[in-house]
Each structure stands twice: as structure tokens, then as C-alpha cells.
């Protein structure tokens, strides 16, 4: 029967009766591991009983087997197991002599033993396509009857032995795709019967011997014949070159050889330019390496490489003025494809050049600017490696400083010096203080070190000073406070330490002050409150501490205040509410405490408010709802308490709201549904309770909704299915219950790859229809495994007239503690009395004992999970659905 009670929700119960018992058969299979037997050989005695070949030949085979890991060969049939070597895999005999040894592609590893030279009757030796390494034994030159020698596609190294020239009957010699180095021996010219000579893809170098031209029987077949490609070989003799071109037409197109016609020209006092003709082999990556020395013949130091092998020039710098240098160029080709190792050609012939010297009295010939200004520029050039600057046109080479790169003059004096991002390396000379008419000094984005000379305080005409993004260190000089006309001071991203000089408060014309990204410590000087023209103040990423000075509230022209990532403490001064032009307020990642001042609600131009990662406490001031231009509100990871103000719903331009990891409580205000521009809403790790407001379904621009680790309860509203842009939905670790609305299947943009992006786990939820379950399986595959759900398959069996056994299938979520509660009633509508609980959630049965005979009873079972490390809530599932062989009675759910 189906009855509806106060909850209006159906419940299935078991009507207790005698039921048949189904048997569960558990089949366990066991498969033992395979047995392996390894033959034990006495390699030193295997040849004792061999009679079909000479003893020395047998010993040669044993040496090959042991030195190339014979037990690991792909096929080693009969090797060292029988006394008939002519039946061993790959061995062919004729007339009691071994005439062929073919073990190609047989997984041989290791070095070839010199004993192979004892197989003097061999006419074929094929060991290609293995992993052989080490050098070729010179003893192979003893195999004078050999006609076919194939060792290609291994990892053989070293020089090709000259002894191979003894193999006068050889017709096939395949040594390609190895790592041979050194010159090709001239004795190869003795092999006049050669039809095929394959040496490609090695590292052979040097001149090709003239004797090679005697190998007139070499074929021109592309699958045989001659191939010398992909080495470092050269040839200049016309007869030899003609022969090679006829037999291997493209041999020269793939050699890693040095470039030709190298030349050098002086480019400036600190640089020269090398030029050359590129080599023919420009493919397969690689470059030219340029090395420099200060003495003839080296030692050479690598200066750099070109972008590729098509390059025909390279500028070498910085070089010292008035010094002589020597240069060589090598060609490099990386390992690739069949080329097992990187190749580097021999160097080119050495070329030399001498850079011009800077005259010690250079400024004596300059009349365009005062001598002390010229000398200041010369000292800057020499103290910052001017020869290495990226651009140094005119510097120390022409007597017209006003035409030098970065120098601007007016009325015969220097008024601007712009060498930003110009590779300046070194220290700033005190002589810069002599450029007393300077209005702009731009030296940012270089590699300057050392301290700022106090003499810069003499530049009283300076309007802009940019020294950012260098490696300057030491204390900020108090003398900078003398630059009364300064409007911009940018010293960010250096290594300055110590306190901010209070004298900077004298720069009353300052509009922008950037000291961020240093190691400054101490308190923020209250004197900075005198900078009433200031529009930007960046002091973040330092080690500043102590309280924020209330005097900062006087900077009413300020638009951007960034003090984050310091160690500032104490309360946020309510005077900051006077900064009515402020658009950015970044105070996050400090140690600020106390309440958020209500006066921040006066900052009606504010677009971003970052207060996260502090120790702020107390409630959120409702006045934050007065910020109509606010786009980002980030208050996470504090100690804020109380309810969310409904006034936050007035922030019509808000795009990101993050209040996570606080101690906020109470219900989610439905007014949050008015935030029509919201993209991200993160309220996780609080103590928010009550239902999720259906009004959140109005946030159609939302891409991230993160509400996990709260105390939210009730059903998930089906209105969330309208958030079609949602990429992240995390509702885990709440107390949500009931069926998941089918509308969530509309959220096709949900992220299924990033951990935690889509998570419904650790609730008391259930899935409804199969399409929804299939959808959830793609977005949050383990959602069902963490739900406090009712057990399924509930059955009852009479033990006797007063005792009965209940059985069920346990829920998937058996961790985190908890149990099953069994309720008993004598009427279908209850009331139910708890009969008992199980030991845990892994239990699958319960005995109901001591019931009255001749009475009808009704039972329900539900699941309980206590708070635990993954969940702050106490969870009860709905009651289980019944499954029995006899009559079923359906009654309303009762929950507590």
C-alpha cells in the first residue's frame, strides 16, 4: 500500500514474515605463478666433448655467447647445451669448419670478443640489428675468407680498425648506424672486391683517403653500393671527388663539416662580426658554435651558437676595447633518427681581430656638452660593460654625445638618459650626480648591481627616475629626498633592504612611488602621508611590519594602494575611508587584525578590495554594499564571523566574491541572486547553514560556485540547472540531502579533469534517473561512493517465533565512523522506536530479538555518519527501500 504522511515523501518498509533464504556462493580461484627453469651451463667445459669443429672455433663461439649476454638472446637454441655446435642457432658449418655466423636481430648486447678472429673459415658474419657496443676487435682482420660482414644498426664505437684492409675477398661491408669515430682507414682501399660499403650515420671525420677511389666495383644501387652520408668526412682531390660523386652522389650534402671562407670585421669598440659560407647540410637541427681565445691556438671558450645551420654571421661581444682576440667556428648536429650521437665538426681556420681602444682623454675632444657630463657618461659606459650593451651607437666612438644611443640634450647639456633594457651590467658611478640638468633617468630592466649613489640627490631637476628590475641592493639613500621636483620614483624588483627613508615624504610632487619587490623592512613612514599628489603607492612584496599609519588617509588623490605580501599588523585604519578616489586596495597576505572598518564603504570608486590571508575578525560591515563599482571582493582566509549581509546583493558590478575559510554562519541571503555579473562565488570552509537559495539560479554568468565544507542542508535547488556557464560546482561536505535534481544534467561545461572542480561528495544525496547518473559519472565519478545513503536490498527472515534476522547490502561509504539504525513499529504509520544500532557501516545484518509472538511488526533501517575529518556535519540518510519475497507495505518517511 502507498500512504502519504506529513513529509509527503514515500518510504518502503518490510512486513515481517517467514521468507526463503537465498544462498550466496563465493567462488575463489587461485592460479599459481608459472615455473621457470634455467639451464646451468659450464661454459668453460662445453667444448671438451666437441669434435665436429676445431676446439679453437668452439671456444670462439663460447666467447661470443658469454660476452654478448647469450642467455638473453632472442633465440639461443642449443647454444652451450649440445656438443654439436653446427646445430646451434645461427651457426653454419661446411667440411668441419664454421663458414657462416648469422645472429642478426637476436638481441646481442655487449662487446665483440677478439676470439672471433679465430673463425678463419668464415665467409659470412652477420650481427646487424643488435645492441652491440664497444670497439671492433682488430682481430677481425684475420678472417681473410670473409666475403660478407654486416654489423650495421648497433652501438659500436671507436675507430674502424685498419686491419679490415686484410679482408681482400670482402664484397659486402656494412657498418652503418653505429657510433664509429676517427678517420676512415686508407687500408679500406685494399678491398677492391667490395660491391657495397655502407658507413652512413656514424661520427667518422677527417679527409676521405684517396685510396677509396680504387674501389671501382662499388655499385650505385641505393640499397647497396657506397654510402658515406651523415658523418664528418671531407674530400678535396678532384679525382676522388669525381669518384665519390659518381658512386654516392649526395655524400657531401649530409656531412657535418666546418663552414668555409670565415672572415672577421670589427663592428665597434666592443664587438666584432664573423661571417662564413654555410655548409650544404642544413637539415636535422644543429647550429654553428663560435669560440673565442685571447692567445693564438687557444684555449678557446664557447661564446655562443647560431640559431641554425643556415646562419652566415655572428656578432661576438662584449669584448674589451684595445684587445686582440682569436676565433674559430665549429658545426654541430644533434642526435636524431638513425644518428645515435651528436656530431661536432673540426674547427675552422683561426681568424683574429683587434678592437679599438678608448682614448684616456676621450672627453678632451668633446665640445658639445660640458666635460664633467661627458666624463660621467664615459664612466657609466666603462662601469656597466658598455661594450656589451645591446645598443651603443656612437658611445666612445664619436665626439658628439648628444647623438649617442639613449642620450638627449637641450641647450648643450644632457637632459635625458634612456638606456632601459639595454644589457647594462655593473654598478652606477657616483659621477652620474654631475648630470645636474638631467630630467629623466631611465635605467630599468638591466642587470645593475651595487647601491644607489647618494650623489643622485644632486639631480634636483629630475622629474622621472626609473631603476626598476635590476639587482641593486643596500639601503635607499636619504638623499633621494632632495629631488623635490620628482614625479615618478620607480625602484621595484631589486634587492634593496633596510627602512624606507622618511625623507621620501619631502617629495611632495611625487605622483607614483614603486618600491615593491625588494627586501625593505621596518614600518611604513608616516611621512608618506605628505605626498598628497600621489596616485600610485606600491610597497608590496617586502618585509615591512608594524601598523599601517593613519596618515595614509591623507592621500586623497591615491588611486592604487598595494601593500600586500608584507608583515603588517594591527588594525586597518578607518582613515583609509578618506581615499575616495581609490580604485585598488590590496592589503592581503599580511598579519592585519581587528574588524574591517565600516568606513571602507565610503570608497565608492573602488573596483578591487583584497583583504585575504590576514587575521581580520568580527562581522562583515553592511557598508560594503555601498561600493557600486566593486568588481572583486576577496576576504578569504581570515577569522570573520557572523552572517553574510544582505547588502552584498547590491554590488551590481561584482564579478568575484570570495569569503572562504572564515567562520561565517547563518543562512545564505537570497539577495546574492541579484549579482547578475558574478563569475565566481566561493564561500567554502565556513559554518553557513540552511538551504541553498533557489535565487542563486539567477546568476547566469557564474562559472564557479564553491560552497563545500559548510552546514548547508536540504535539497539542491533545481534552479542551479540554469547556470549553463558553470565550470566548477563544489557542494561537498555539507548536509545536503534528497535526490539530485535532474536539471544538473544541463551543466555540460562542468570541469571533469581538475580535482575538486566538480564535487558533490560527503552529503546525503541520491541520484534519480539513469541519464542523470550517467552525466554525474562523467563529471564527478565517485560522488555516490561518499554519500550517507540508505542501505539497499533489505530482507527479513524468521529465526523462530520471536527472533528475526534483517539483512541488507551495505552502503559504499563505510569510512568516517557511523552505523545503521534499526527502527521497529507495530503499525505501518509508526511511531517507530529505535531497536538498536550496528557496530559500523560495514555490517550487513542485524537480529531483532525478543519480539512478541503472533504480532505483526514493521522495520526501517537508515544510515548515520558522525562529524569527522572530512565532514563537520552529522548526517542521517533517509530510510532504506524494502525488498522482500512477501508483501511490501509503503509508508511515509520518518527522519530525525
Amino acid at each position: 500500500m502507498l500512504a502519504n504522511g506529513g513529509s509527503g515523501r514515500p518510504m518502503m518498509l518490510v512486513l515481517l514474515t517467514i521468507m526463503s533464504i537465498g544462498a550466496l556462493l563465493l567462488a575463489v580461484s587461485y592460479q599459481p605463478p608459472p615455473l621457470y627453469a634455467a639451464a646451468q651451463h659450464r661454459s668453460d667445459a662445453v667444448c671438451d666433448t666437441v669434435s665436429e669443429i676445431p676446439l679453437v672455433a668452439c671456444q670462439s663461439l663460447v666467447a661470443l655467447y658469454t660476452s654478448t649476454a647469450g642467455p638473453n638472446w632472442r633465440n639461443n637454441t642449443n647454444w652451450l647445451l649440445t656438443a654439436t655446435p653446427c646445430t646451434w642457432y645461427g651457426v653454419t658449418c661446411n667440411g668441419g669448419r664454421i663458414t657462416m655466423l648469422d645472429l642478426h636481430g637476436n638481441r646481442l648486447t655487449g662487446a665483440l670478443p677478439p676470439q672471433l678472429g679465430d673463425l678463419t673459415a668464415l665467409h659470412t658474419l652477420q650481427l646487424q640489428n643488435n645492441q652491440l657496443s664497444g670497439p671492433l676487435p682488430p682481430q677481425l682482420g684475420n678472417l681473410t675468407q670473409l666475403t660478407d660482414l654486416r654489423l650495421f644498426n648497433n652501438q659500436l664505437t671507436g675507430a674502424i680498425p685498419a686491419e679490415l684492409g686484410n679482408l681482400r675477398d670482402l664484397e659486402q661491408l656494412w657498418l652503418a648506424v653505429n657510433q664509429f669515430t676517427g678517420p676512415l682507414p686508407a687500408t679500406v682501399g685494399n678491398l677492391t672486391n667490395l660491391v657495397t660499403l655502407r658507413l652512413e650515420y656514424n661520427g667518422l671525420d677527417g679527409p676521405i683517403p684517396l685510396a677509396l677511389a680504387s674501389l671501382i666495383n662499388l655499385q650505385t644501387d641505393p640499397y647497396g653500393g657506397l654510402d658515406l652520408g651523415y658523418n664528418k668526412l671531407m674530400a678535396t682531390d678532384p679525382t676522388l671527388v669525381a669518384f665519390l660523386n659518381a658512386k654516392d652522389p649526395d655524400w657531401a650534402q649530409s656531412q657535418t663539416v666546418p663552414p668555409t671562407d670565415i672572415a672577421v670585421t670589427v663592428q665597434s669598440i666592443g664587438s666584432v662580426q664573423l661571417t662564413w659560407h654555410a655548409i650544404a647540410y642544413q637539415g636535422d637541427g644543429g647550429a654553428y658554435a663560435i669560440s673565442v681565445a685571447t692567445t693564438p691556438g687557444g684555449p678557446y671558450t664557447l661564446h655562443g651558437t647560431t640559431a641554425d645551420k643556415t646562419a652566415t654571421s655572428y656578432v661576438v661581444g662584449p669584448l674589451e676595447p684595445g684587445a686582440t682576440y682569436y676565433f674559430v667556428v665549429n658545426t654541430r648536429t644533434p642526435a636524431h633518427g638513425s644518428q645515435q650521437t651528436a656530431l661536432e665538426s673540426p674547427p675552422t681556420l683561426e681568424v683574429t681581430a683587434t678592437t679599438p681602444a678608448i682614448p684616456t682623454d676621450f672627453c678632451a675632444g668633446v665640445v658639445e656638452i660640458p666635460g664633467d657630463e661627458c666624463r660621467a657618461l664615459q664612466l657609466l659606459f666603462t662601469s656597466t660593460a658598455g661594450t656589451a650593451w645591446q645598443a651603443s651607437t656612437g658611445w666612445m666612438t664619436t665626439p658628439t654625445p648628444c647623438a649617442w644611443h639613449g642620450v638627449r640634450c637641450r641647450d648643450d647639456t644632457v637632459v635625458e638618459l634612456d638606456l632601459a633594457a639595454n644589457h647594462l651590467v655593473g654598478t652606477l658611478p657616483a659621477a652620474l650626480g654631475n648630470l645636474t640638468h638631467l630630467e629623466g633617468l631611465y635605467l630599468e630592466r638591466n642587470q645593475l648591481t651595487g647601491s644607489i649613489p647618494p650623489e643622485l640627490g644632486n639631480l634636483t631637476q629630475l622629474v622621472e627616475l626609473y631603476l626598476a628590475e635590476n639587482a641593486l641592493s643596500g639601503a635607499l639613500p636619504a638623499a633621494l629626498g632632495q629631488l623635490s621636483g620628482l614625479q615618478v620614483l620607480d625602484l621595484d624588483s631589486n634587492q634593496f633592504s633596510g627602512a624606507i627613508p622618511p625623507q621620501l615624504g619631502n617629495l611632495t610632487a611625487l605622483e607614483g612611488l614603486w618600491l615593491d619587490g625588494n627586501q625593505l623592512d621596518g614600518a611604513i613612514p608616516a611621512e608618506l602621508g605628505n605626498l598628497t599628489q600621489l596616485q600610485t603607492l606600491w610597497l608590496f612584496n617586502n618585509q615591512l611590519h608594524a601598523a599601517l599609519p593613519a596618515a595614509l588617509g591623507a592621500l586623497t588623490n591615491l588611486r592604487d594602494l598595494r601593500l600586500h605580501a608584507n608583515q603588517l599588523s594591527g588594525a586597518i585604519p578607518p582613515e583609509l575611508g578618506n581615499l575616495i578616489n581609490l580604485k585598488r586596495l590590496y592589503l592581503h597576505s599580511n598579519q592585519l587584525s581587528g574588524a574591517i572598518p565600516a568606513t571602507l564603504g565610503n570608497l565608492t570608486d573602488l573596483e578591487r578590495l583584497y583583504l585575504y590571508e590576514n587575521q581580520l575578525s568580527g562581522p562583515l560591515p553592511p557598508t560594503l554594499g555601498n561600493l557600486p563599482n566593486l568588481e572583486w571582493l576577496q576576504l578569504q582566509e581570515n577569522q570573520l564571523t557572523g552572517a553574510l549581509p544582505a547588502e552584498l546583493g547590491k554590488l551590481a558590478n561584482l564579478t568575484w566574491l570570495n569569503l572562504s575559510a572564515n567562520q561565517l554562519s547563518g543562512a545564505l541571503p537570497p539577495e546574492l541572486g541579484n549579482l547578475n555579473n558574478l563569475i565566481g562565488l566561493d564561500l567554502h570552509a565556513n559554518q553557513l547553514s540552511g538551504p541553498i537559495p533557489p535565487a542563486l539560479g539567477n546568476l547566469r554568468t557564474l562559472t564557479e560556485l564553491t560552497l563545500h565544507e559548510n552546514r548547508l542542508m536540504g535539497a539542491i535547488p533545481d534552479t542551479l540547472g540554469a547556470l549553463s556557464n558553470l565550470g566548477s560546482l563544489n557542494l561537498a561536505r555539507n548536509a545536503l540531502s534528497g535526490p539530485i535534481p535532474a536539471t544538473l544534467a544541463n551543466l555540460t561545461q562542468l570541469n571533469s579533469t581538475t580535482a575538486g572542480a566538480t564535487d558533490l561528495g560527503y552529503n546525503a544525496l541520491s541520484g534519480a534517473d539513469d541519464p542523470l547518473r550517467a552525466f554525474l559519472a562523467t563529471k564527478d565519478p565517485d560522488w555516490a561512493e561518499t554519500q550517507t545513503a540508505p542501505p539497499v536490498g533489505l530482507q527479513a527472515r524468521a529465526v523462530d517465533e520471536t527472533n528475526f534476522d534483517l539483512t541488507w547490502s551495505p552502503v559504499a561509504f563505510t569510512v568516517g565512523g557511523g552505523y545503521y539504525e534499526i527502527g521497529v513499529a507495530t503499525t505501518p504509520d509508526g511511531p517507530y522506536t529505535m531497536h538498536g544500532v550496528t557496530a559500523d557501516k560495514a555490517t550487513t545484518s542485524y537480529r531483532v530479538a525478543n519480539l512478541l509472538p503472533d504480532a505483526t511488526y514493521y522495520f526501517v533501517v537508515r544510515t548515520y555518519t558522525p562529524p569527522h575529518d572530512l565532514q563537520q556535519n552529522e548526517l542521517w540518510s533517509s530510510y532504506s527501500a524494502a525488498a522482500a519475497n512477501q508483501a511490501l507495505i509503503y509508508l511515509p518517511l520518518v527522519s530525525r
Side-chain angles (χ1 to χ4, degrees):
M1 59 180 278
L2 177 64
N4 291 317
S7 68
R9 297 166 61 188
M11 175 181 68
M12 291 195 288
L13 303 176
V14 178
L15 173 61
L16 185 62
T17 184
I18 302 298
M19 294 182 292
S20 63
I21 304 175
L24 175 63
L25 177 62
L26 178 63
V28 180
S29 64
Y30 172 74
Q31 181 178 355
L35 297 176
Y36 297 94
Q40 301 297 316
H41 305 299
R42 287 185 58 226
S43 60
D44 57 343
V46 70
C47 294
D48 292 349
T49 59
V50 170
S51 60
E52 67 179 6
I53 62 173
L55 176 63
V56 67
C58 178
Q59 291 171 338
S60 296
L61 295 180
V62 171
L64 176 65
Y65 186 86
T66 56
S67 66
T68 60
N72 297 325
W73 290 359
R74 189 183 306 276
N75 189 338
N76 58 7
T77 302
N78 292 336
W79 277 77
L80 278 64
L81 292 177
T82 73
T84 55
C86 295
T87 68
W88 295 357
Y89 173 79
V91 178
T92 300
C93 300
N94 188 8
R97 306 290 296 276
I98 300 175
T99 58
M100 177 183 292
L101 186 56
D102 184 357
L103 295 172
H104 75 274
N106 203 38
R107 214 153 44 200
L108 277 68
T109 60
L112 291 175
Q115 291 90 332
L116 278 182
D118 295 330
L119 299 176
T120 55
L122 273 181
H123 63 74
T124 298
L125 178 57
Q126 296 188 353
L127 302 178
Q128 68 269 26
N129 296 324
N130 285 293
Q131 293 91 46
L132 296 169
S133 57
L136 272 187
Q139 290 81 356
L140 293 186
N142 299 336
L143 307 179
T144 56
Q145 296 188 45
L146 208 60
T147 62
D148 193 339
L149 176 56
R150 305 191 186 209
L151 299 174
F152 63 87
N153 199 19
N154 280 286
Q155 298 162 22
L156 298 166
T157 58
I160 295 176
E163 289 79 359
L164 293 189
N166 300 334
L167 309 180
R168 302 298 180 100
D169 290 341
L170 205 60
E171 298 175 358
Q172 302 283 338
L173 179 55
W174 297 67
L175 302 179
V177 193
N178 278 286
Q179 300 173 27
F180 291 119
T181 56
L184 183 62
T187 56
V188 174
N190 300 336
L191 309 180
T192 55
N193 289 308
L194 275 183
V195 174
T196 299
L197 176 59
R198 301 297 295 267
L199 300 173
E200 69 269 24
Y201 291 113
N202 279 288
L204 300 170
D205 59 35
I208 299 172
L210 296 176
L212 204 67
S214 62
L215 305 182
I216 59 176
N217 290 314
L218 286 173
Q219 297 178 350
T220 56
D221 183 351
Y223 300 103
L226 176 65
D227 196 336
L228 303 177
Y230 302 98
N231 282 287
K232 302 185 289 181
L233 298 168
M234 297 176 287
T236 56
D237 181 83
T239 301
L240 176 61
V241 170
F243 171 80
L244 295 175
N245 291 343
K247 298 294 185 179
D248 184 12
D250 62 350
W251 73 274
Q253 306 304 310
S254 56
Q255 303 297 326
T256 299
V257 292
T260 58
D261 299 325
I262 183 171
V264 59
T265 56
V266 175
Q267 190 178 55
S268 71
I269 62 172
S271 65
V272 301
Q273 184 178 50
L274 298 178
T275 58
W276 56 80
H277 286 156
I279 67 173
Y281 179 36
Q282 298 177 357
D284 298 320
Y288 300 109
I290 292 83
S291 299
V292 60
T294 55
T295 57
Y300 290 98
T301 301
L302 177 67
H303 185 276
T305 59
T306 61
D308 52 43
K309 291 184 294 193
T310 67
T312 58
S313 65
Y314 180 89
V315 175
V316 185
L319 301 174
E320 289 297 322
T324 300
Y325 293 92
Y326 304 86
F327 309 94
V328 293
V329 181
N330 303 73
T331 306
R332 294 177 174 179
T333 301
H336 64 278
S338 296
Q339 189 79 57
Q340 299 179 18
T341 57
L343 301 183
E344 181 167 342
S345 77
T348 61
L349 294 175
E350 183 180 78
V351 292
T352 184
T354 300
T355 56
I358 302 175
T360 55
D361 59 348
F362 178 86
C363 290
V366 172
V367 296
E368 193 174 47
I369 59 174
D372 56 350
E373 292 191 5
C374 176
R375 284 184 287 275
L377 296 179
Q378 180 173 345
L379 284 171
L380 176 64
F381 184 85
T382 56
S383 65
T384 60
T387 57
W389 292 357
Q390 186 174 25
S392 59
T393 304
W395 281 77
M396 303 298 106
T397 59
T398 71
T400 53
C402 295
W404 295 354
H405 172 78
V407 178
R408 187 169 68 87
C409 301
R410 186 175 61 245
D411 299 331
D412 300 326
T413 189
V414 178
V415 295
E416 183 178 291
L417 182 57
D418 186 355
L419 297 173
N422 201 40
H423 295 178
L424 276 69
V425 179
T427 60
L428 294 175
L432 284 180
N434 295 331
L435 301 175
T436 53
H437 294 86
L438 207 60
E439 299 170 0
L441 178 57
Y442 308 98
L443 301 177
E444 70 270 23
R445 301 194 305 281
N446 284 293
Q447 294 90 49
L448 296 170
T449 55
S451 59
I452 296 178
E455 288 79 1
L456 292 192
N458 300 335
L459 308 181
T460 54
Q461 303 298 312
L462 207 59
V463 176
E464 294 184 336
L465 174 56
Y466 285 87
L467 299 176
E469 298 181 49
N470 281 285
L472 296 167
S473 58
L476 297 180
L480 294 181
Q482 300 168 197
L483 307 177
S484 57
L486 202 63
Q487 297 177 9
V488 175
L489 177 58
D490 189 355
L491 307 178
D492 75 85
S493 303
N494 280 284
Q495 300 172 22
F496 294 119
S497 57
I500 298 174
Q503 290 85 352
L504 295 188
N506 299 332
L507 307 179
T508 54
L510 207 61
E511 297 177 359
L513 175 58
W514 290 270
L515 303 179
D516 52 284
N518 283 287
Q519 301 168 24
L520 299 169
D521 57 23
I524 297 175
E527 288 81 356
L528 295 188
N530 299 333
L531 308 179
T532 55
Q533 301 302 311
L534 207 61
Q535 299 179 23
T536 301
L537 176 57
W538 286 14
L539 305 180
F540 63 89
N541 282 349
N542 279 288
Q543 301 168 21
L544 301 170
H545 53 80
L548 288 174
L552 295 182
L555 306 179
T556 54
N557 284 302
L558 207 59
R559 286 165 170 74
D560 197 334
L561 177 58
R562 305 191 187 195
L563 308 178
H564 57 281
N566 280 288
Q567 301 167 25
L568 300 169
S569 59
I572 298 174
E575 289 82 358
L576 294 188
N578 299 332
L579 307 180
I580 56 174
N581 290 300
L582 205 61
K583 294 181 180 293
R584 302 281 194 276
L585 178 56
Y586 293 179
L587 301 179
H588 57 279
S589 303
N590 279 290
Q591 300 169 18
L592 299 170
S593 58
I596 297 174
T599 55
L600 296 188
N602 299 335
L603 308 179
T604 54
D605 282 351
L606 201 63
E607 297 173 355
R608 300 199 177 191
L609 177 57
Y610 292 174
L611 304 179
Y612 61 88
E613 293 179 7
N614 278 289
Q615 301 169 21
L616 300 170
S617 58
L620 288 174
T623 55
L624 293 183
N626 299 335
L627 306 178
N629 294 297
L630 198 64
E631 298 172 357
W632 290 64
L633 178 57
Q634 306 275 65
L635 306 180
Q636 67 270 27
E637 297 185 54
N638 279 288
Q639 301 168 21
L640 300 170
T641 57
L644 294 178
E647 288 82 356
L648 294 182
K650 297 190 299 181
L651 301 176
N653 286 303
L654 200 65
T655 57
W656 286 92
L657 174 59
N658 193 337
L659 304 176
S660 62
N662 280 286
Q663 301 169 26
L664 299 168
S665 58
L668 290 175
E671 288 83 358
L672 294 181
N674 298 332
L675 303 177
N676 293 325
N677 290 302
L678 203 63
I679 295 174
L681 176 59
D682 190 348
L683 303 176
H684 83 272
N686 281 287
Q687 300 170 23
L688 300 168
S689 58
I692 298 175
L696 293 190
N698 299 334
L699 306 178
R700 303 302 173 87
T701 59
L702 206 63
T703 63
E704 178 183 314
L705 177 57
T706 308
L707 301 177
H708 60 283
E709 297 179 53
N710 278 289
R711 297 178 176 175
L712 300 171
M713 61 187 66
I716 297 175
D718 59 5
T719 56
L720 296 189
L723 304 179
S724 58
N725 291 308
L726 211 59
S728 177
L729 175 63
N730 194 331
L731 305 178
R733 298 179 176 85
N734 279 286
L736 300 170
S737 60
I740 299 172
T743 57
L744 290 197
N746 299 330
L747 306 181
T748 57
Q749 301 301 313
L750 283 178
N751 185 332
S752 59
T753 57
T754 304
T758 303
D759 196 345
L760 304 179
Y762 301 99
N763 283 290
L765 297 167
S766 58
D769 53 22
D770 289 340
L772 176 61
R773 284 183 172 273
F775 172 79
L776 293 176
T778 65
K779 300 299 183 181
D780 184 13
D782 62 348
W783 74 271
E785 298 172 8
T786 57
Q787 301 299 324
T788 299
V792 297
L794 179 64
Q795 298 186 26
R797 181 181 67 86
V799 179
D800 53 40
E801 60 183 8
T802 62
N803 298 291
F804 301 89
D805 282 345
L806 301 180
T807 60
W808 57 81
S809 296
V811 299
F813 182 45
T814 58
V815 300
Y819 49 78
Y820 300 110
E821 179 193 86
I822 292 84
V824 182
T826 56
T827 62
D829 295 329
Y832 291 93
T833 302
M834 184 182 74
H835 186 276
V837 298
T838 62
D840 53 42
K841 292 185 293 190
T843 304
T844 60
S845 64
Y846 180 87
R847 173 161 290 183
V848 186
N850 302 319
L851 298 176
L852 295 175
D854 299 325
T856 300
Y857 291 93
Y858 301 87
F859 298 93
V860 291
V861 180
R862 61 178 175 173
T863 309
Y864 170 72
T865 302
H868 56 281
D869 57 344
L870 297 174
Q871 171 64 268
Q872 62 176 305
N873 301 291
E874 180 181 62
L875 297 182
W876 286 96
S877 77
S878 58
Y879 286 108
S880 60
N885 296 342
Q886 299 291 329
L888 300 179
I889 297 179
Y890 297 83
L891 294 176
L893 279 172
V894 177
S895 62
R896 79 178 186 188

